[in-house]
Amino acid sequence: MYESYYGLSDKPFRLRPDPHFFYGSKGHKRAMAYLEYGLSQGEGFIVITGEVGAGKTTLVRNMLGTLEAQKIVAAHLVNTHLNAEDTLRMVVSAFGLPAEDTTKSALLNRLETFLRSCDAQGKRALLVVDEAQNLSPRTVEELRMLSNFQTNDKSLLQTFLLGQPEFRATLHSPDMQQLRQRVIATYHLGPMDALETQAYIEHRLHTVGWNNDPAFTPAAHAAIYEYSGGIPRMTNHLCDRLMLMGFLEELHQFTDTHVDDVIRDIQAEFQPPPEAAETAARPASDAAELAALAAAYPDGMDERMMRLEKSVVSVLNILKKIVASPASNAAAPDNND
């Protein structure tokens, strides 16, 4: 929508991971170095953690785009809310092998045959598991067992595990000792600093042909960083909405006031409407009223009387809201006429 207005070739702040927009901050460059180091080792596990929206998936997709298909066969697993056997099926399927209607032993045999075939062709197999924090300890152990596929002198499968910070707790739990022994490198991808966040925004804009229209004041960049905390996804979300507002209001420069306006709009969208809050509070209010009525009458009070009292209270509440509503006030006669 706003792309043509600002003369851009594409939308610069999409939420989905896109290696086309990869920006190498200090943290992302170090994480990429760990991934490349892991590839050079050809065995074991590499673990990359980071906050939600820190850019882990974009990082991996950028790396996968640079791999030589003639040398490395890569599979990317993103659905991790699965039990151990279903995860095995997903791994087999991710490598392009049939995984339906067969036993676990048959799946393992099929995967091993595939991995040995890759090795015979001079290729290496790489498994990338995203959202690793969702894996149960049993599923992690299942993935570790896959690293047992090897020849006399090399491993047939290498695995990268990417997850949110809580995966580090899983990794350091007592029953993960065997996995830790096979981890050759770990790295935590933190947020960008203020200067990197500004460079990140400008990099994405330049990628789609930005020519300083719209311009961002230093105060606007500071406000964006304060809100996003240097997290790429939050930065994308805010900047996308900012660009949309700029298009709607025909702006060619963004200030901190514009950023604050958009932030307020975003925050307001995630607050429940007053009607919902009142509805949520109503059961507790009704219960309190019934308790008061029960205390005021003898223990043998007729149940039908209780229901009647409750209905009367509800009707009174509705009448109070009608009387207090702005529409009712507007309809009232003006004594000054």
Side-chain angles (χ1 to χ4, degrees), residues 5-6 210 212-216 246-247 249-255 258:
Y5 180 74
Y6 290 118
W210 178 62
N212 207 39
D213 180 23
F216 292 70
F247 162 68
E249 298 188 10
E250 300 183 353
L251 301 175
H252 293 277
Q253 183 183 68
F254 295 133
T255 68
H258 298 129

Side-chain angles (χ1 to χ4, degrees), residues 26-258:
K26 292 189 295 288
H28 287 84
K29 286 179 179 177
R30 291 195 65 182
M32 183 64 74
Y34 274 88
L35 293 175
E36 292 173 348
Y37 169 75
L39 282 176
S40 70
Q41 297 302 298
E43 62 178 354
F45 290 78
I46 297 287
V47 177
I48 303 291
T49 57
E51 298 292 343
V52 176
K56 302 181 296 295
T57 303
T58 302
L59 178 78
V60 170
R61 291 187 177 178
N62 181 69
M63 181 205 68
L64 292 177
T66 65
L67 298 180
E68 298 182 55
Q70 297 82 5
K71 295 182 178 180
I72 296 181
V73 179
H76 193 180
L77 188 64
V78 296
N79 189 349
T80 52
H81 279 292
L82 302 168
N83 60 34
E85 185 166 336
D86 285 339
T87 298
L88 175 60
R89 292 183 185 277
M90 290 294 292
V91 171
V92 172
S93 177
F95 277 113
L97 307 173
E100 298 81 11
D101 303 325
T102 189
T103 63
K104 179 178 178 179
S105 60
L107 289 172
L108 290 171
N109 287 334
R110 190 172 295 167
L111 181 59
E112 182 177 13
T113 299
F114 170 77
L115 295 176
R116 294 192 180 279
S117 173
C118 289
D119 181 61
Q121 299 173 48
K123 299 181 179 180
R124 290 165 46 199
L126 171 65
L127 174 63
V128 178
V129 181
D130 217 333
E131 303 296 341
Q133 76 279 352
N134 298 327
L135 299 171
S136 67
R138 183 180 173 187
T139 303
V140 174
E141 177 63 13
E142 189 74 50
L143 293 174
R144 184 195 68 80
M145 292 295 291
L146 297 182
S147 66
N148 289 332
F149 291 137
Q150 52 191 328
T151 64
N152 292 332
D153 60 347
K154 69 177 74 170
S155 176
L156 294 175
L157 179 65
Q158 186 176 24
T159 303
F160 290 173
L161 299 174
L162 297 96
Q164 295 172 23
E166 52 264 37
F167 180 64
R168 297 167 72 89
T170 301
L171 185 63
H172 288 90
S173 61
D175 53 352
M176 290 291 109
Q177 182 177 356
Q178 293 191 67
L179 175 65
R180 289 197 300 273
Q181 292 174 352
R182 301 194 184 193
V183 173
I184 61 177
T186 65
Y187 184 74
H188 180 73
L189 182 61
M192 300 178 292
D193 61 26
L195 290 178
E196 287 178 323
T197 300
Q198 178 175 340
Y200 170 82
I201 292 170
E202 293 175 350
H203 166 77
R204 295 188 73 104
L205 287 167
H206 281 304
T207 301
V208 295
W210 178 62
N211 192 26
N212 207 39
D213 180 23
F216 292 70
T217 66
H221 279 296
I224 292 170
Y225 175 72
E226 183 179 358
Y227 172 79
S228 69
I231 299 295
R233 187 180 300 166
M234 292 188 68
T235 303
N236 287 358
H237 184 208
L238 176 56
C239 288
D240 183 61
R241 293 289 297 270
L242 187 63
M243 298 284 284
L244 178 60
M245 185 190 76
F247 162 68
L248 295 175
E249 298 188 10
E250 300 183 353
L251 301 175
H252 293 277
Q253 183 183 68
F254 295 133
T255 68
D256 55 332
T257 301
H258 298 129

